[in-house]
Amino acid sequence: WGMGLTDISIIQYMTNVEVVSLSVNKISTLKYLAYCPKLTELYIRKNEVESLEELQHLQDLPKLRVLWMADNPCCTDENRQQILAVLPNLAKLDNIGVTSVESHETGTEQKRKKKSQRPKSAASVDSSYSDAESIIRKSVETPIINAIAALLPSLDLEGLYVVRSVIDKKIRNAERKVPECVINEN
């Protein structure tokens, strides 16, 4: 890094690249990184990225978990949530781990955006999210519940059926272990 690079167009041909370190350069666009589906870590701090809209080029990178983008003109301490809303799968942003609270907040924001963009046929799926979220809010907060809540908005209908099937099976198994008199009291 630190070579004064402005043109990274060559990276679009590196479709198997997993880690890219381009810090301390003069890069202003992230568009060529959109062609790197295996990218897991991107270090691009101290460059010349002017707009957070450049993050849209990273939205379809399913494996991207680490982004270090501090010290670009578009980055301030106040826009961490904006970045996480665009890239909700990040585990680490600017060398700081993403908390379960941040994940949940951005997941909720993503769900709202997706809900407004979905066709009417998906509305019933969204209502199950809100029901699940209200139950989760009432229950004791645990890391496992937080993780499940953060993942639910990203599931499609098939994924939701898989989760429901697993949960139903766990409930049936748990009910078999509980004495019948306890079950009948509820």
Side-chain angles (χ1 to χ4, degrees):
W1 50 261
M3 300 299 294
L5 296 175
T6 57
D7 181 5
I8 60 166
S9 60
I10 189 75
I11 205 148
Q12 68 186 315
Y13 303 108
M14 300 177 189
T15 57
N16 290 322
V17 69
E18 294 179 11
V19 178
V20 173
S21 181
L22 293 167
S23 295
V24 194
N25 281 290
K26 296 180 182 196
I27 297 162
S28 60
T29 184
L30 306 177
K31 67 182 176 184
Y32 301 109
L33 294 160
Y35 300 97
C36 304
K38 295 183 180 180
L39 188 65
T40 60
E41 298 180 23
L42 175 60
Y43 302 92
I44 193 148
R45 65 186 187 89
K46 294 188 179 183
N47 273 279
E48 296 179 3
V49 179
E50 297 280 338
S51 171
L52 287 180
E53 289 181 23
E54 287 294 320
L55 294 175
Q56 293 174 4
H57 300 295
L58 307 178
Q59 278 186 312
D60 293 327
L61 301 178
K63 296 182 178 187
L64 185 62
R65 297 292 181 266
V66 176
L67 175 65
W68 197 342
M69 200 166 153
D71 301 317
N72 275 281
C74 66
C75 294
T76 65
D77 292 336
E78 292 82 37
N79 62 13
R80 179 176 174 88
Q81 283 303 116
Q82 284 179 280
I83 294 170
L84 292 173
V86 175
L87 302 170
N89 293 331
L90 290 180
K92 198 173 197 181
L93 174 60
D94 295 333
N95 208 29
I96 299 171
V98 176
T99 66
S100 60
V101 172
E102 288 175 317
S103 293
H104 183 69
E105 287 173 2
T106 57
T108 302
E109 180 63 26
Q110 286 293 84
K111 185 186 79 175
R112 269 189 240 125
K113 286 181 183 176
K114 285 180 182 177
K115 184 176 182 178
S116 67
Q117 295 171 351
R118 284 185 186 164
K120 295 290 183 196
S121 62
S124 61
V125 174
D126 282 325
S127 69
S128 67
Y129 286 159
S130 59
D131 293 344
E133 286 176 353
S134 66
I135 292 167
I136 289 168
R137 282 189 204 109
K138 291 176 188 175
S139 68
V140 176
E141 291 285 322
T142 67
I144 294 171
I145 291 174
N146 287 337
I148 292 169
L151 290 173
L152 282 177
S154 65
L155 294 176
D156 62 5
L157 189 56
E158 184 179 346
L160 290 169
Y161 282 124
V162 169
V163 169
R164 184 168 79 179
S165 172
V166 170
I167 290 171
D168 288 344
K169 184 177 179 181
K170 293 262 286 172
I171 289 171
R172 283 192 303 274
N173 288 338
E175 287 174 342
R176 285 186 197 131
K177 293 177 184 174
V178 177
E180 182 139 345
C181 60
V182 175
I183 294 172
N184 290 335
E185 288 176 7
N186 295 330

